[in-house]
Amino acid sequence: MPKPNIDPSISTREASSGEGMVYWQVALPGPLQTLFTYAVSVDVNAQAGMRVQVPLGKGQRMGVLWSPAKKEADWVIKPVLSVLDDEPLLDVDLLACLGWAADYYHFPLGETVLAALAPSLRQGQSLRGMAWRILPSGEQALVERTLRGVRQRALLERIAQTPEGVSESRLRDFPKAVRQRLADMGLIEPFEQTVSSMWPVRADTSANTLPAPTLNEAQSAAVTEVAASLDRFEVWLLEGVTGSGKTEVYLNLIDQVLAQGRQVMILVPEIALTPQLVTRFTDRLGLVPAVLHSGLNDGDRLNAWLAARSGDAKVVIGTRSAVFQPFADLGLIVVDEEHDGSFKQSEGFGYHARDVAIWRARRLGVPIMLGSATPSLESLRNVSLGRYHLLTLPERAGGAAMPDILLLDVRQQRMRGGLSDELAAAIETHLLAGGQVMLYLNRRGYASNLLCHACGWVAECPNCDSYMTWHRGAQRLRCHHCGFERQPPSVCPSCSTPLSPRGLGTEQLEDVLTGLFPGFGIERLDRDALSRVGELDRRLARIQSGEARLIVGTQILVKGHDFPHVSLVAVVDADQALFANDFRGAERFAQQLIQVAGRAGRASRAGTVLVQTHQPEHVGLNRLIHAGYASFAQTLLAERAEAGLPPVRAAALIRADARDVDAPRDLLTHMADWLHEHLADPADSPLDVWGPVPAPLARRAGRYRYQLLILADDRPRLHAALSQLESWQGSRRTKGIRWSIDVDPVDMA
């Protein structure tokens, strides 16, 4: 089925039937690759971006008005059941962005549009709510001070402060009976009002706003260059070593945008980064940033969504999904840690927030800054092509030195819980000198699996081609791929021999460190340890105060945290990432190593980084450490060009899975054959089809998985092929098989 035409081209007058109705195309949620036409009364001020309730089949669905439509003579058009909004929730520029994203990522338009709505709005929540306003008799009662009840007088004074009325939600700290009593007395009255945000424009700490530190020469140059482009679209890549003060560059530019009365959007890769950024921005700017991420409840999410849309929130900090947030007047976009793979949605709507943000900035005519100490190869190539402007911060702010990175050869060395004697001695030295020590191990749980040394039995997931991880604290075996878990057997199910843990996880490393260095506080940062609300803040507070001197964690540690007292960083097992099963593995490994190394020596203490490996002569590892990330990245780019891989060529990954082992392979084989037959490679723009092959994890959650990689020299060629393939495959039955298109894939697993 062809993609919908996403650009409105029919006027409302042309869409009119002359019978008191106009016709609109409506974007509906679901696996629907088309728009649906409905009739709307001419008495309704229908506009694109408004939500409507419509009949579909035997049920109803909520959709969004997309564009006026022209009725064909033989069509039978159903009317919308109700229009849910008084004004568009999504503006024209955002609708254009959503339309582009649906087309580019080959995803249903209705599902794409829903990504721009707060969760409660997706469920049809009305923005018309109960509100209260004061009557003349109430104003007189305040002047004459005739009310004796303390709560009644306080409520009346609260409502009197806002002549246009106060929403019910803002009066929840007063009992409902008090509101009703004032209404019965004829002092206030209820009315229906459009719900607005409850966002504080200024912070309570505005009187104590922290002064901005003096920028160094490189920071000042970066601010000056970007400030000169605040009136137009430009993409700026800010490549700064860890601790170089990229956030200070952001803050200086944000100050200038706020002075113009405009808004700023900052995208971060992880929820874990938002608390420290919110605190820093509040202290520096004297205003409270709105926060948008999946960890918020629906009420807080809606409040922040409304605040950004209305302009009440001048600064919005959010994770990936915030890229589709409506704004009143957006003047600058910042993507912090732009290289991070978390910006790419891995399931369903496979958009990349960084790339969507760039498209949106172009549409709005505003600058966008991408910041990273380890830029993605995509961004570095765009710099080389002249599409992005490169700014560099080559030194750490405040005069701190970059840490020394040393390789520890652990071949034939005694290991205690993953620690060599040399590393253990270094940890002790730094702890006794008053420093903090951070140990990075990107493997959570206690052990990779449970093993029987007598017969070789291993605890495997019954649903996936993977072993189950032992979590000793919870006394559970868990599959990190499908979520299946169970209690571990007390003895081997095959021969009744006691089982032994195999492999090292963060839980076990925490136990080892506690035994080797008693008396020094320790905190573990991984997904298991941070599962409870508020747990991350509590643990970070112990680290910042120095109460915890040892820090153990997974890749959460590389997400831009600033621990000024960390003097030693140890990469416990570098080898697990050296030989990845996809072509992006070397890039990810380099970024994680440089990022985690950057946590050391960020203040007055000198920093050291020790990397344990069984491959001390590894060419890539040595190039990264001795020549630096920039040189390493250029080598990778040359290798990608020679191999014909992204970012030099455009790519899409078609995934298919089914419970039948042969079905997904057969489907992708048919697709590959069709592509070869109908889209023969022209000499000037070749199209390569690789596969199908089993996915690196061939069976997951009981489903067998295959994938097909399509490569093209230019994007139009790739998207034309994908659209033709969708149209052909849409007419074929694929019972029991799920398949999807992932454009610009990041995770090949």
Side-chain angles (χ1 to χ4, degrees), residues 297-318:
N297 61 48
D298 285 355
D300 290 340
R301 193 89 174 264
L302 177 62
N303 188 33
W305 190 93
L306 291 169
R309 177 177 173 271
S310 67
D312 290 343
K314 296 300 182 184
V315 177
V316 174
I317 301 174

Side-chain angles (χ1 to χ4, degrees), residues 72-84:
E72 300 296 334
D74 57 342
W75 283 7
V76 177
I77 305 297
K78 294 181 180 180
V80 301
L81 301 175
S82 61
V83 178
L84 303 180

Side-chain angles (χ1 to χ4, degrees), residues 16-27:
S16 174
S17 66
E19 302 171 353
M21 306 294 283
V22 293
Y23 300 103
W24 277 84
Q25 289 184 311
V26 177

Side-chain angles (χ1 to χ4, degrees), residues 575-632:
D575 298 342
Q576 63 170 318
L578 277 179
F579 305 101
N581 55 12
D582 72 78
F583 67 88
R584 295 187 187 275
E587 179 185 2
R588 280 196 299 267
F589 167 73
Q591 289 165 345
Q592 291 177 359
L593 178 58
I594 296 300
Q595 290 285 343
V596 75
R599 303 313 110 196
R602 296 172 71 93
S604 57
R605 293 181 183 273
T608 300
V609 180
L610 299 178
V611 181
Q612 291 194 146
T613 177
H614 290 84
Q615 309 290 331
E617 294 90 10
H618 190 280
V619 175
L621 183 57
N622 280 275
R623 182 186 301 117
L624 176 64
I625 291 175
H626 299 301
Y629 179 79
S631 174
F632 183 84

Side-chain angles (χ1 to χ4, degrees), residues 337-400:
E337 309 293 350
E338 66 86 25
H339 67 277
D340 199 291
S342 299
F343 284 122
K344 182 71 159 73
Q345 174 83 9
S346 59
E347 306 242 343
F349 180 20
Y351 67 94
H352 198 302
R354 177 199 61 213
D355 299 339
V356 174
I358 291 171
W359 194 97
R360 195 169 179 190
R362 179 186 290 111
R363 171 81 182 197
L364 295 174
V366 302
I368 178 170
M369 174 168 278
L370 314 177
S372 177
T374 54
S376 64
L377 297 191
E378 284 78 8
S379 293
L380 290 174
R381 185 164 190 270
N382 279 319
V383 168
S384 69
L385 295 174
R387 297 169 181 165
Y388 298 176
H389 305 288
L390 179 64
L391 303 167
T392 58
L393 304 179
E395 298 177 351
R396 284 187 157 179

Side-chain angles (χ1 to χ4, degrees), residues 476-489:
R476 306 290 286 176
L477 283 168
R478 291 174 179 161
C479 175
H480 290 172
H481 299 287
C482 71
F484 176 81
E485 63 176 70
R486 63 184 177 90
Q487 284 188 326

